[in-house]
Amino acid sequence: MEGTRRPMGHDIHSPRLRLSPHGHYVWIDAVRGIAALAVVVFHYHHFYLADALARPGLPETSSFPWAALFDPLYRHGHYAVELFWVISGFVFAHVYLPRPTTARNFAAARLARLYPLHLATLLLVAGVQMFSLNRLGHWQIYANNDLPHFLMNLGMASHWTYLTPGLSFNGPIWSVSLELLSYGLFFLSLGLLRRGGAGFAAALTAACFGIYASGLSLPPLRLTDIFLCATLFFTGTTLYFLHGLAETRRAWDGVTLAGLAGLSMLALMAGRDDVALIGICAAIVLVTAMLDRLFPRVPAVFRMLGDTSYSIYLVHVPMQMIVLTAADLFFGGSRAFATHPLTLPVYVLAALGLAWVVHVRFERPVGRALRRWMERR
């Protein structure tokens, strides 16, 4: 989850490389934070789980608090993950295409950005889960908390293979583990992307989609999941090139948006919901990029959401596990609190507040220190 500020440095000039001169896509950062909140609301159903194996007994989302407003998020908020992936492809193009970078610096930036908070939440969740199992006799939310799953999580590879058959520990990290592979493919393709521009980016997107859609199997790798993520990631990269063309041809964004709308409609008519989802996510990112050009100032709350999106994404499930463990210890395992109308706003506000504290006090300073240390060595 890279920030959208472009690093200082000399641009790479190519006759076929059209890049946006935009300095910082604050609205795209904000939308990423809003998407993280959508995942937080989607995971509200965790509060109804008596234990990690009780998912078949979950009530209908129509009975959740504030269902008249939030039922679409209760049922479909998980699609925010696909939006994350498109945003990442757009942002990586913005940050890395205009200037050279080394494998060392690229890896240091990614590791420093993602790993400290991942490791901290992994260890916290492991402690909570072991306490819950030993004291209460069951896991909270996710059940696959054995040593192989822990080791795969430790290496941020929890969703690469079928050796880990289900979500485990801090479950949301699954999407980040897939995204890491797209980061690697992006770095390996940087030279070709700079020379080939939008054409090569589109070809790379099509190749990833072809592998995904073919259903190609190469056990134990999760090729379908890996290349769906890569398709969405490079959709974002392609979108960045097309948006760059709009800096000199103002109508280009409109043409691209119309094409995405048409693609999504045709895909829905053909029963290809996956293709429609790609088109819809791309359209959201493009409209957001256009907002950045039209309204460069954003409310402070949206800027805060963008800055803390990764923290929001990783801290809300550990927070839920602690709440559920406390309910088991002190309230006889009752989940009646989940039906109260105040629980949803308290949960969302608590997740936001905790994420902000974690971001300011841990994620940002530790990440900076780790990056400086890695680059020196």
Side-chain angles (χ1 to χ4, degrees):
M1 289 186 174
E2 180 65 68
T4 58
R5 295 171 181 83
R6 178 181 288 169
M8 298 299 291
H10 298 292
D11 285 352
I12 293 176
H13 298 285
S14 167
R16 285 187 287 179
L17 186 64
R18 293 286 188 89
L19 302 178
S20 171
H22 208 79
H24 181 203
Y25 285 93
V26 287
W27 280 103
I28 284 185
D29 274 351
V31 167
R32 183 163 45 191
I34 293 169
L37 277 183
V39 174
V40 170
V41 175
F42 170 72
H43 282 152
Y44 189 82
H45 66 271
H46 290 165
F47 285 129
Y48 290 89
L49 291 172
D51 60 57
L53 303 178
R55 291 181 187 274
L58 284 173
E60 293 293 327
T61 57
S62 59
S63 67
F64 288 9
W66 306 92
L69 286 175
F70 297 112
D71 192 57
L73 289 180
Y74 288 144
R75 291 185 292 117
H76 306 300
H78 58 91
Y79 288 125
V81 169
E82 283 80 359
L83 182 58
F84 283 145
W85 290 338
V86 177
I87 289 173
S88 291
F90 186 98
V91 169
F92 269 58
H94 181 63
V95 171
Y96 288 107
L97 285 173
R99 60 171 300 183
T101 187
T102 65
R104 176 194 296 271
N105 288 340
F106 184 84
R110 304 279 41 82
L111 188 64
R113 177 73 178 90
L114 300 175
Y115 199 73
L117 185 57
H118 162 62
L119 179 61
T121 55
L122 172 63
L123 295 177
L124 172 62
V125 166
V128 171
Q129 292 284 35
M130 291 306 299
F131 176 86
S132 178
L133 182 66
N134 291 326
R135 184 70 179 271
L136 303 170
H138 63 84
W139 304 113
Q140 302 288 355
I141 301 179
Y142 303 116
N144 302 300
N145 302 303
D146 53 20
L147 181 60
H149 281 84
F150 180 80
L151 294 176
M152 296 292 279
N153 273 274
L154 195 63
M156 294 193 79
S158 59
H159 212 66
W160 291 3
T161 74
Y162 291 104
L163 299 176
T164 51
L167 297 183
S168 59
F169 293 96
N170 194 9
I173 199 66
W174 74 270
S175 67
V176 183
S177 79
L178 289 178
E179 201 171 323
L180 285 176
L181 298 175
S182 294
Y183 294 169
L185 183 56
F186 174 84
F187 179 79
L188 294 174
S189 307
L190 263 176
L192 293 172
L193 285 168
R194 287 167 179 153
R195 288 193 293 271
F200 180 77
L204 189 54
T205 304
C208 291
F209 179 78
I211 297 173
Y212 154 73
S214 71
L216 181 66
S217 177
L218 187 63
L221 293 177
R222 294 177 178 266
L223 287 187
T224 301
D225 293 340
I226 290 169
F227 281 97
L228 174 60
C229 175
T231 299
L232 287 150
F233 184 94
F234 286 106
T235 295
T237 302
T238 305
L239 203 62
Y240 179 75
F241 280 113
L242 297 177
H243 181 62
L245 291 172
E247 295 293 342
T248 55
R249 303 173 187 173
R250 292 291 182 175
W252 195 259
D253 275 341
V255 171
T256 304
L257 194 57
L260 291 171
L263 172 67
S264 300
M265 290 171 54
L266 290 173
L268 287 173
M269 292 169 59
R272 289 304 303 255
D273 293 350
D274 51 353
V275 177
L277 179 62
I278 294 170
I280 292 169
C281 289
I284 292 172
V285 173
L286 180 57
V287 169
T288 308
M290 294 164 67
L291 284 177
D292 267 297
R293 182 186 295 141
L294 297 172
F295 306 103
R297 294 185 178 182
V298 300
V301 64
F302 288 146
R303 191 179 293 270
M304 182 272 287
L305 281 175
D307 290 342
T308 59
S309 58
Y310 187 54
S311 293
I312 293 170
Y313 191 63
L314 285 196
V315 305
H316 74 279
V317 168
M319 185 180 74
Q320 287 183 301
M321 290 179 178
I322 292 171
V323 170
L324 292 174
T325 302
D328 289 338
L329 284 172
F330 304 114
F331 300 100
S334 172
R335 299 296 187 257
F337 70 92
T339 64
H340 197 284
L342 286 180
T343 303
L344 176 64
V346 169
Y347 160 57
V348 171
L349 290 174
L352 283 173
L354 179 60
W356 177 251
V357 172
V358 168
H359 172 71
V360 172
R361 299 295 184 183
F362 178 82
E363 180 191 359
R364 190 165 58 189
V366 173
R368 286 174 177 170
L370 178 59
R371 183 171 181 174
R372 286 195 297 268
W373 178 80
M374 291 180 65
E375 290 178 347
R376 283 199 305 269
R377 292 179 65 86

